[in-house]
Amino acid sequence: MKRIFTRIAIFLLIAASLGGCARNNAGNTSGRQQPTLATERKAKEEAAAPADKNVVPAKEAAAKFPTAVTNRNPSIEGGTLKVALVSSSAFTGVLNPCFYEDSYDAQLLGWFSESLLSFDGNFIADQDGAATYDYNVKAKTVTLHMRGGVKWQDGEPVTLDDLVFAYEVICSRDYEGFRFNETFMNILGVEEYHAGKADAISGLKLSEDKMTLVVHFKEFDPSILAGGFWTNPIPRHYYGDIGVKDMAADGKTRSYPIGFGPFKVKNIVPGESVEFESFDDYWRGKPKLDGVILTVVKPELVPAAMKEGKFDVAEFSTQQYQDYMEPANYKYLGQIQTAFSYTGFKLGKWDAARNENVYNPGAKLADVKLRQAIGYAVDNQAIAQYLYHGLRFLATTVITPRHGAYQNTRLEGYVYDPEKAKRLLDEAGYRDVDGDGYRETPEGKEFTITWATMDGENADIIAQFKIQCWKEVGLRVKLYHGRLTEFNAFYEAVEGDDPAIDMYDAAWSTGYNPNPSVLWGRNSAANYTRYTSNTFDDIIKEISSGKAWDGAFLSQKYKEWQTAFFKEAPAIPTLWRIQLVAVNNRVKNYEDISNDIKQTYHLIELTAKEPIK
Amino acid sequence: MWKTIVKRVLILVPQVIILSLLIFLLANFMPGDALTGKIDPGVSPARLEELRRQWGYYDPWYVKYGRWVQNALQGDLGESTAYKLPVLQLIGQRAGNTFWLALMTMAISYGIGILLGIIAGRYQNKPADKAIVFYTFVALAMPTVVFSLINIFVFAFKLHWFPMGGSVDVVYTVGTLPYYRDKLYHMILPALTGGLLYTIGTIQFLRNEIIDYKNSDFVVTARSKGVPEKKIFSRHIFRNALLPVASFMGYDIAFLLGGSIFIEYVFSYPGMGRLFIESILRRDYAVVNALIILFAVLTVLGTLLSDIIMTVVDPRIRIK
């Protein structure tokens, strides 16, 4: 998620002074002024539209968009698919699953490299991948079985030794990438290997024929199957003697990387574009397309480029959607992301020595009623509706609808209710004693909340609107340093527990595994709220326990956890989001796999020689 | 003259040292580092801490600086944290793009500038002059980003004359004739965009100089001696008027070689200007340091080049 912010940040620095004009000239001919949120909302209120108060259920909003294209036209033989890599910056081109860091490289990797395991709609590994698996809860093992006939793009067979090689690379002491984390440490022998005390990882037991691999885990809970261990092999024979330190910079990663996916890299223009051609020996069958070309394009140019048929597939920004709601030559696919935005409260400190969060009961926002009031005071639906045109919607909880089995649908979320906010503040003892319109602390002292929020798309309007909302219930909120915060400065301050910050707005993507310990756990440095409670600890422990193999139990615990989260409110979930992908009408069998669930790229077909204009 | 050139180049050394020190100090004060905000479900904070330690981010600045100098002296300017490539290799990838684009932009800019400058100066206050002056004002007021976007919209989307961005189409093989032809083809629109905007300085300088010289004593003298007007213009006025334009050429070269951030940005053209901005935002220190020093060297060399050009075109000036 943060990558989105990086992208926005990069764009902003350059376009800060000209951004408005830039967007309008990129084909947005309307050139109309963005009405301020407050005026638009007011107009709506004056019209007394009763529907305004209704929560748009996320699933309903998402149902507006299909997740796959339906195209019944006869397809042509072969053809080249043109995909936009929507980005303001050049892609970095680290085309190796063990080393890449940015999402554009991930998109490129998706066409030629894949995971051995495939994942179902609930993000649980299934048996449709290049390898199948079984597991043993008692022995704490997963056994992988490699399918025969899976080939690397240089013709060599893929074996599980290539997966072992990926582990050896990532767990090596010379490895300088991000991938090495707790999920690796959870495998027996990795700690010793990483420390240089062992020559091999003892928890990886490879069979003679290299087609079966038993992985031994330390802790074994269901999250193991939700992407809880590494399943992307890299070709050992191909990298040969290249050391781990030199692997990322080597030509075998930058210029002619290979995988065992449906397409193989034909040509790369660094930072600009990549040409793929069909890999005829792909294990799921020869791809229908002749090739694919991915080209970097700036977000501002996407609508015009789609209209002119320059691309077949492009991510579409929420901002531009309002002017292109009914395109003639392309369609939108949309899916709820596993991401949410939230307002977090700073309630303690990170103790690096003990590796845990320490809650401070004396923190400025320690009163839970105060925090809830801050949540109820903001009209997030207005933000979703007017600024994001229904492509974002009120988040009722911190588990998104994409993890439907775990989501507590009974929770309503913090639906805008200023009266309730005022009542809560009265109960908590925050009253306006001196009559200046702002409430004072229960002790009668002046009360100001400092709020850190990042610079970005619409950030200014949203910040002013929220401050206004809080003012309406009598809360004085000021921006950290009096302005929106630049990305790097924001994370430095929030990660570092800058005492000047009382609350902050951020976003988080849960990925496959929504286990709350990652973002809200006692031992998570990413738990920027620094809030801890015994209730949380207990439930999180059960979610990560052996008992959780019982699906009903796990789902129940997730729901309990969300209820507890809603009540204790260390953070207020604010918005969920839909990501739109525009797909030209000549494309057939395209599924939005922005979340990488199923590999269906080999099935894509075209129904015309060139993109339809 | 050679002495001066050597002296100037030698001065570069302390300049670069002071500059690199300054950059290091400033970088130290920048909030965040290359790993800030990278935490996500797959990237654990503990891992980032480990890397910060491994990469020496916690060392005091003078230790970092010492390490950098030591490596730099061996020709190693470090590794980009985002690109995971040696800095020199990365800059090498981009420098070519920027160089050719700069060259073409300059050719267009000076070609148009000199032509229009002469016309405007010679036919002062005539319709042609008025039109040219009007053009310079419009171009002066036009933000580069907006002009670039208009050009893309008109020439790439509507007329389909030029590609919408990038430096070359991926389908061509490096080194073949179609590859270079395509590179040239991709360069035309961004170079034209830049050239049409950067040319204003040349036009205005040239126009003003010509107008000044037209009424200067030696021109009046020549005229009174009966020298034909055409000869007066080409011999007496034009050559003199070109001097300030020539003197700025060196700066222009340095400026353009730094890479036009806006044009590279809008045209998704991978050059050094964009690399510079992206690296600052990513806190990719090694790249930022190398580029700032490179820009500094270019600026000094540009100034030197300007001086040399001056001595060549104007015999009155001699570098001592």
Side-chain angles (χ1 to χ4, degrees):
Chain A
M1 221 63 267
K2 285 162 202 159
R3 288 185 191 115
I4 294 176
F5 287 115
T6 328
R7 250 188 281 174
I8 293 166
I10 289 171
F11 170 66
L12 253 144
L13 189 107
I14 295 158
S17 51
L18 310 154
C21 333
R23 197 170 67 83
N24 283 341
N25 280 298
N28 170 358
T29 46
S30 73
R32 66 166 168 267
Q33 286 279 309
Q34 186 88 265
T36 68
L37 200 48
T39 54
E40 228 184 281
R41 190 170 65 122
K42 207 156 184 199
K44 199 93 185 214
E45 269 166 14
E46 276 161 11
D52 204 4
K53 286 246 89 174
N54 288 351
V55 183
V56 185
K59 276 199 171 141
E60 220 167 88
K64 234 170 81 184
F65 302 100
T67 56
V69 284
T70 44
N71 184 350
R72 293 209 175 76
N73 295 330
S75 39
I76 59 161
E77 187 82 17
T80 301
L81 186 77
K82 296 174 183 170
V83 181
L85 205 57
V86 182
S87 163
S88 301
S89 50
F91 66 81
T92 51
V94 186
L95 301 180
N96 177 321
C98 300
F99 290 94
Y100 82 92
E101 273 158 27
D102 82 32
S103 58
Y104 309 114
D105 286 348
Q107 276 187 56
L108 291 168
L109 276 163
W111 292 92
F112 75 93
S113 164
E114 56 180 63
S115 158
L116 285 176
L117 292 181
S118 107
F119 292 84
D120 67 15
N122 294 318
F123 304 99
I124 306 293
D126 59 25
Q127 307 291 359
D128 298 336
T132 56
Y133 75 99
D134 47 65
Y135 62 94
N136 185 331
V137 177
K138 257 202 180 143
K140 297 185 178 174
T141 58
V142 169
T143 307
L144 292 169
H145 308 278
M146 187 72 214
R147 266 178 223 274
V150 182
K151 281 183 187 163
W152 290 108
Q153 284 152 4
D154 64 354
E156 293 290 317
V158 180
T159 69
L160 291 168
D161 184 43
D162 294 315
L163 183 62
V164 174
F165 181 53
Y167 275 91
E168 287 170 0
V169 167
I170 294 175
C171 302
S172 154
R173 272 207 298 182
D174 290 338
Y175 175 70
E176 294 193 10
F178 289 176
R179 296 287 110 72
F180 185 72
N181 61 14
E182 286 82 3
T183 61
F184 286 90
M185 297 288 264
N186 189 28
I187 291 167
L188 283 179
V190 163
E191 220 173 319
E192 292 76 9
Y193 184 81
H194 184 64
K197 289 181 201 153
D199 295 336
I201 299 165
S202 61
L204 301 176
K205 296 255 161 50
L206 193 64
S207 71
E208 249 339 70
D209 64 354
K210 299 182 176 173
M211 297 302 265
T212 309
L213 179 74
V214 185
V215 187
H216 294 261
F217 294 91
K218 289 181 185 164
E219 303 292 331
F220 203 66
D221 67 71
S223 67
I224 296 270
L225 302 183
F229 68 105
W230 187 256
T231 52
N232 288 71
I234 50 173
R236 192 193 285 274
H237 68 277
Y238 192 63
Y239 278 101
D241 291 335
I242 299 164
V244 174
K245 256 191 166 15
D246 304 321
M247 223 172 239
D250 195 90
K252 288 181 174 171
T253 297
R254 326 291 306 203
S255 312
Y256 28 90
I258 60 166
F260 62 95
F263 294 91
K264 54 184 180 185
V265 174
K266 190 175 173 195
N267 197 7
I268 298 179
V269 181
E272 276 182 57
S273 45
V274 179
E275 183 188 16
F276 293 99
E277 61 185 350
S278 152
F279 173 44
D280 294 351
D281 287 335
Y282 180 52
W283 69 276
R284 281 188 173 101
K286 183 179 183 298
K288 302 262 169 69
L289 294 171
D290 290 333
V292 181
I293 292 178
L294 278 94
T295 312
V296 171
V297 62
K298 289 164 32 59
E300 292 88 333
L301 294 178
V302 168
M306 280 308 293
K307 192 162 165 260
E308 294 296 324
K310 301 265 180 198
F311 293 108
D312 289 309
V313 178
E315 268 185 24
F316 216 84
S317 99
T318 314
Q319 289 310 299
Q320 294 161 334
Y321 170 67
Q322 69 162 324
D323 293 319
Y324 301 90
M325 284 205 187
E326 296 196 348
N329 63 331
Y330 60 91
K331 290 190 186 69
Y332 293 113
L333 303 184
Q335 223 174 65
I336 299 181
Q337 305 291 291
T338 56
F340 58 88
S341 314
Y342 67 96
T343 301
F345 304 107
K346 279 299 211 180
L347 301 166
K349 281 241 170 282
W350 172 250
D351 183 339
R354 285 194 297 162
N355 198 35
E356 67 174 40
N357 291 299
V358 183
Y359 171 61
N360 170 17
K364 194 193 261 181
L365 303 178
D367 191 323
V368 65
K369 283 187 176 158
L370 173 59
R371 299 202 295 268
Q372 289 171 335
I374 290 172
Y376 283 118
V378 176
D379 191 351
N380 280 305
Q381 264 154 269
I383 295 175
Q385 216 165 319
Y386 301 125
L387 287 179
Y388 294 110
H389 320 292
L391 295 176
R392 297 207 179 169
F393 24 82
L394 183 73
T396 57
T397 169
V398 284
I399 301 286
T400 71
R402 279 301 285 285
H403 285 101
Y406 304 142
Q407 189 202 349
N408 190 338
T409 46
R410 288 224 186 119
L411 292 173
E412 265 204 325
Y414 289 87
V415 183
Y416 177 55
D417 190 346
E419 292 314 312
K420 189 167 182 177
K422 285 180 196 163
R423 213 161 50 237
L424 284 164
L425 287 170
D426 287 342
E427 284 168 27
Y430 291 84
R431 287 165 204 280
D432 183 10
V433 190
D434 56 12
D436 64 349
Y438 289 108
R439 292 168 190 265
E440 277 74 40
T441 63
E443 295 79 39
K445 283 190 200 136
E446 201 190 280
F447 185 61
T448 306
I449 301 168
T450 307
W451 174 46
T453 185
M454 260 181 283
D455 207 344
E457 216 176 12
N458 280 336
D460 199 26
I461 307 172
I462 293 174
Q464 292 314 320
F465 175 70
K466 286 176 111 168
I467 288 173
Q468 184 63 32
C469 282
W470 284 316
K471 187 185 169 189
E472 276 169 28
V473 300
L475 290 173
R476 192 198 319 260
V477 176
K478 69 175 177 62
L479 285 170
Y480 176 59
H481 288 328
R483 57 172 186 261
L484 299 169
T485 313
E486 183 263 343
F487 174 84
N488 285 284
F490 176 87
Y491 275 102
E492 183 172 83
V494 172
E495 281 173 11
D497 298 331
D498 185 334
I501 298 175
D502 301 316
M503 61 182 189
Y504 62 95
D505 270 27
W508 182 258
S509 167
T510 52
Y512 284 13
N513 175 12
N515 191 323
S517 66
V518 183
L519 185 61
W520 312 106
R522 186 180 285 274
N523 302 106
S524 165
N527 179 1
Y528 302 133
T529 66
R530 310 296 174 218
Y531 179 79
T532 58
S533 83
N534 292 334
T535 328
F536 278 24
D537 288 349
D538 292 346
I539 304 177
I540 289 175
K541 210 184 211 166
E542 292 198 282
I543 286 176
S544 314
S545 73
K547 276 193 271 180
W549 286 101
D550 172 2
F553 174 85
L554 182 62
S555 159
Q556 178 57 32
K557 285 297 152 190
Y558 262 112
K559 286 174 184 170
E560 273 175 32
W561 181 75
Q562 289 163 74
T563 310
F565 190 90
F566 181 72
K567 278 191 189 141
E568 297 181 24
I572 306 288
T574 52
L575 298 173
W576 287 328
R577 55 192 73 185
I578 291 179
Q579 173 64 56
L580 288 188
V581 179
V583 183
N584 189 279
N585 287 348
R586 76 160 174 156
V587 182
K588 199 170 170 177
N589 300 335
Y590 186 88
E591 250 184 278
D592 175 17
I593 58 156
S594 52
N595 278 299
D596 231 3
I597 296 188
K598 285 270 176 232
Q599 264 292 356
T600 55
Y601 283 159
H602 64 294
L603 298 176
I604 300 171
E605 288 179 278
L606 301 173
T607 61
K609 279 229 172 318
E610 288 296 322
I612 293 160
K613 282 182 196 171
Chain B
M1 189 168 93
W2 285 111
K3 247 188 199 167
T4 320
I5 293 174
V6 172
K7 229 191 263 172
R8 284 285 195 82
V9 173
L10 283 180
I11 288 176
L12 250 178
V13 177
Q15 276 174 330
V16 165
I17 292 174
I18 292 171
L19 192 73
S20 64
L21 245 170
L22 271 175
I23 303 164
F24 254 86
L25 282 173
L26 288 175
N28 227 36
F29 291 126
M30 275 207 289
D33 57 40
L35 301 173
T36 304
K38 295 281 189 194
I39 297 173
D40 73 33
V43 181
S44 77
R47 174 64 185 160
L48 297 182
E49 277 308 299
E50 194 181 348
L51 283 177
R52 281 195 176 101
R53 242 167 234 133
Q54 211 171 320
W55 293 347
Y57 280 2
Y58 290 115
D59 296 342
W61 69 268
Y62 49 86
V63 175
K64 288 186 213 169
Y65 184 65
R67 195 166 43 217
W68 183 83
V69 170
Q70 207 177 2
N71 291 332
L73 289 177
Q74 292 163 14
D76 174 13
L77 288 177
E79 186 168 296
S80 155
T81 47
Y83 285 85
K84 297 185 181 297
L85 273 183
V87 170
L88 283 177
Q89 195 183 333
L90 180 61
I91 294 178
Q93 276 179 6
R94 305 295 185 90
N97 285 337
T98 296
F99 176 77
W100 292 113
L101 182 60
L103 205 68
M104 196 157 174
T105 308
M106 272 197 64
I108 293 175
S109 159
Y110 278 91
I112 297 176
I114 290 172
L115 187 74
L116 295 188
I118 292 172
I119 296 175
R122 188 151 188 192
Y123 304 103
Q124 191 194 356
N125 291 333
K126 301 268 163 56
D129 174 44
K130 283 187 175 150
I132 291 168
V133 171
F134 179 73
Y135 162 67
T136 60
F137 285 143
V138 172
L140 199 63
M142 180 74 81
T144 315
V145 171
V146 175
F147 189 54
S148 309
L149 284 168
I150 293 173
N151 283 345
I152 292 179
F153 192 69
V154 174
F155 295 106
F157 287 162
K158 288 296 150 203
L159 300 173
H160 300 281
W161 288 358
F162 298 108
M164 58 187 279
S167 74
V168 66
D169 203 312
V170 69
V171 298
Y172 298 107
T173 323
V174 184
T176 58
L177 187 67
Y179 172 82
Y180 291 112
R181 207 164 42 207
D182 195 59
K183 276 204 108 145
L184 198 69
Y185 178 48
H186 274 76
M187 236 183 287
I188 297 174
L189 196 55
L192 208 59
T193 305
L196 284 173
L197 292 182
Y198 302 144
T199 189
I200 0 170
T202 314
I203 297 179
Q204 287 186 338
F205 260 121
L206 204 54
R207 177 179 179 272
N208 294 346
E209 291 291 314
I210 289 174
I211 292 169
D212 276 356
Y213 281 118
K214 259 185 179 166
N215 303 316
S216 66
D217 294 344
F218 67 89
V219 171
V220 175
T221 312
R223 209 172 269 146
S224 63
K225 284 198 300 189
V227 181
E229 194 65 23
K230 220 174 176 180
K231 206 167 180 187
I232 291 180
F233 197 82
S234 60
R235 278 278 178 83
H236 296 83
I237 299 178
F238 182 60
R239 280 185 75 171
N240 282 305
L242 219 50
L243 283 181
V245 174
S247 69
F248 270 97
M249 207 157 167
Y251 295 105
D252 269 0
I253 292 174
F255 169 74
L256 283 171
L257 285 181
S260 166
I261 291 163
F262 294 110
I263 287 183
E264 288 180 1
Y265 167 74
V266 179
F267 286 93
S268 298
Y269 193 85
M272 291 200 288
R274 247 171 99 208
L275 181 65
F276 183 55
I277 290 294
E278 285 168 24
S279 302
I280 291 178
L281 289 168
R282 286 173 174 150
R283 301 291 187 265
D284 204 339
Y285 298 126
V287 182
V288 174
N289 291 344
L291 283 176
I292 291 182
I293 288 169
L294 180 68
F295 294 158
V297 173
L298 281 176
T299 310
V300 175
L301 291 181
T303 335
L304 183 63
L305 190 66
S306 279
D307 291 352
I308 295 171
I309 294 175
M310 283 300 281
T311 53
V312 172
V313 295
D314 188 351
R316 287 172 300 180
I317 301 169
R318 283 279 173 260
I319 300 179
K320 279 183 190 144

